Amino acid sequence: MTRGDDRLKKLYPSLTARERAVLVLRALKEGRDEDQLVRLTMPDLQVNEFNRYIDLMNRTTALRAYVGGLRALVEQMGIRWAWLVTLDVWSVRMWSVAEYVFFHTKEPVTEIEYRERLEAARAEMAPVDELAELLMERHEGWSEDDFEGEDPDDGEPLVSDAAWGRVIGEKRAELARLVKEGILQGSGTGKRLRVNAGSFYGWLGEEAPVYPDWGSEFEVFPDTERERVEGTRRLRRRAQEAIMASPSHSGVIRQIMRKSGSPPPWGDELVERLEAALRRNFEQRWQELVAVEKVLDEVAAEFDGEDPLEPEVRETLVGIRAELEELFDQMAGRIDGFPKKEEPREEHLSDLRSAVFGDSDSREVTIRV
């Protein structure tokens, strides 16, 4: 035995029960056997207090398992987040496909089908306000006094509300006069006035517009090519169904579709379920993390600040916090109504404290999934 060992041996009888417990804890964390003198030199008066520390140390093992379970659930949440990001990428890609199909391909139709659609378009009775708005878009008689500021997007001058209201009133009055004079066909009066689309567009010297079911323009084929038209139409319909089943590229679009009362596409339903799960998961995981950190700090205070966790378990806990912080930064800006990083509920802290500090007979701690 060295002189230092001999000096240390003389110090053992003067150690408090807490100091002895700290030496045992350090040995446990370092994976070595504790010094037998810790217990052999202990006065009888310290036994009960020392045993309390050892029991606290043993109960803390429940938190080691808790940290491992928390680690697995945070990894699962990361996978769900990656899944949601994948759906977002999918939606953007499919939106590009939809734009191309809608604006750069033509919907096939036979000559007779086109004529039927044209006749239906001519027969429509349009509200006077709708046609007045259309005339407004073609109005060129604006004066400098009619403009107010510039459009922030393209820098073009903006028509003031007063000028807009004045001119659209003039357009309504003009349409009502044309109906009264028999130049346009219409029915009703005032705001209930409706004008025949065929007569309106004929007055403009144009054909009534005919719009495809899904697209911006028709491609008219001879009636003899009906089979070809049907085949192309089926392919477009399949493409449309695939696009409509994918997630909407915008949360605004999802809100509009939800308000319409129509069931959401399969992709949107999946997105909403993942968002709801991630809101719930983050709130639970964050509160569980902070709760276990607080209880571990309380345990450390019992051991004069000595961390009750082995280094690798502490490293896992630090990693969980870092991952949750990163996920929060990513998800809070993407998911509407994402929860804040709040303190744990008192009942959850109470359960952890009971398991660790021995206020109950149970040493099991559960995590909400």
Side-chain angles (χ1 to χ4, degrees):
M1 179 179 293
T2 65
R3 182 176 300 176
D5 291 337
D6 188 55
R7 192 181 306 118
L8 184 60
K9 183 178 179 180
K10 292 179 180 179
L11 290 175
Y12 272 115
S14 63
L15 295 176
T16 65
R18 175 181 289 184
E19 289 169 338
R20 296 174 191 277
V22 169
L23 291 175
V24 173
L25 177 58
R26 287 176 181 170
L28 177 65
K29 289 166 55 180
E30 293 169 9
R32 57 180 175 80
D33 294 334
E34 64 180 77
D35 192 327
Q36 294 183 358
L37 290 175
V38 169
R39 297 175 189 256
L40 291 175
T41 61
M42 181 169 50
D44 292 341
L45 292 175
Q46 293 182 3
V47 171
N48 288 338
E49 184 182 0
F50 178 80
N51 285 340
R52 184 182 70 81
Y53 283 118
I54 297 301
D55 188 54
L56 177 58
M57 199 183 309
N58 291 334
R59 285 176 175 268
T60 305
T61 58
L63 294 188
R64 297 187 184 107
Y66 187 93
V67 169
L70 187 56
R71 165 78 275 172
L73 290 172
V74 171
E75 288 177 352
Q76 184 185 76
M77 188 167 63
I79 293 171
R80 283 178 173 161
W81 169 240
W83 192 0
L84 181 59
V85 171
T86 301
L87 291 175
D88 284 345
V89 173
W90 175 20
S91 69
V92 172
R93 294 290 187 268
M94 289 302 286
W95 178 252
S96 298
V97 174
E99 282 186 313
Y100 175 78
V101 175
F102 194 92
F103 294 108
H104 300 286
T105 68
K106 298 178 180 181
E107 184 172 311
V109 67
T110 62
E111 290 175 339
I112 189 170
E113 289 172 334
Y114 185 78
R115 286 195 299 270
E116 290 172 351
R117 287 174 178 261
L118 184 58
E119 289 303 316
R122 288 170 176 166
E124 285 184 4
M125 301 296 287
V128 66
D129 285 349
E130 180 182 313
L131 299 182
E133 289 275 359
L134 191 148
L135 291 177
M136 285 287 293
E137 294 174 4
R138 303 174 179 217
H139 184 70
E140 296 180 353
W142 302 108
S143 67
E144 290 187 7
D145 294 337
D146 291 331
F147 295 108
E148 182 180 71
E150 295 182 348
D151 190 315
D153 295 327
D154 55 23
E156 292 293 321
L158 290 173
V159 177
S160 69
D161 291 342
W164 184 271
R166 184 191 77 245
V167 175
I168 201 166
E170 293 172 358
K171 299 301 181 184
R172 283 197 206 97
E174 181 182 9
L175 290 169
R177 177 183 58 80
L178 291 170
V179 170
K180 186 175 182 180
E181 293 175 356
I183 297 173
L184 298 180
Q185 300 172 21
S187 62
T189 58
K191 290 188 176 181
R192 293 185 178 182
L193 174 63
R194 300 177 77 82
V195 181
N196 174 260
S199 65
F200 172 78
Y201 283 100
W203 172 66
L204 291 176
E206 302 173 6
E207 186 58 87
V210 183
Y211 300 106
D213 295 328
W214 196 61
S216 59
E217 193 175 350
F218 281 112
E219 183 174 6
V220 183
F221 290 86
D223 292 334
T224 55
E225 297 189 37
R226 184 173 187 83
E227 189 173 332
R228 176 184 177 186
V229 169
E230 290 294 339
T232 306
R233 192 177 289 161
R234 279 195 299 271
L235 291 175
R236 282 175 58 86
R237 190 179 300 117
R238 284 166 59 186
Q240 181 186 8
E241 289 170 354
I243 291 168
M244 295 305 294
S246 67
S248 301
H249 78 290
S250 162
V252 174
I253 292 178
R254 286 200 295 276
Q255 291 177 12
I256 293 173
M257 293 184 69
R258 197 180 301 116
K259 289 179 180 178
S260 71
S262 58
W266 172 83
D268 279 354
E269 185 177 356
L270 185 56
V271 166
E272 292 181 0
R273 286 186 178 184
L274 280 172
E275 289 176 344
L278 286 168
R279 289 189 200 97
R280 182 178 64 253
N281 292 162
F282 181 83
E283 183 178 25
Q284 292 172 348
R285 301 297 84 84
W286 181 261
Q287 291 199 9
E288 288 160 355
L289 168 70
V290 177
V292 77
E293 288 176 336
K294 285 180 174 293
V295 172
L296 284 169
D297 286 344
E298 293 170 7
V299 174
E302 292 284 335
F303 290 94
D304 272 343
E306 183 72 23
D307 188 354
L309 294 181
E310 295 95 330
E312 61 271 17
V313 181
R314 173 57 64 179
E315 185 178 347
T316 297
L317 191 61
V318 170
I320 291 171
R321 170 172 278 276
E323 188 166 349
L324 281 176
E325 294 274 11
E326 183 178 357
L327 285 170
F328 177 83
D329 291 340
Q330 294 171 344
M331 294 188 293
R334 160 61 183 81
I335 302 175
D336 292 337
F338 201 72
K340 298 178 180 179
K341 294 182 284 189
E342 297 180 344
E343 291 294 298
R345 297 182 182 87
E346 186 55 40
E347 61 266 24
H348 190 57
L349 272 172
S350 177
D351 289 343
L352 281 175
R353 288 181 178 129
S354 294
V356 173
F357 287 96
D359 296 334
S360 70
D361 295 331
S362 174
R363 298 192 183 188
E364 294 184 3
V365 193
T366 58
I367 301 178
R368 293 166 290 165
V369 179

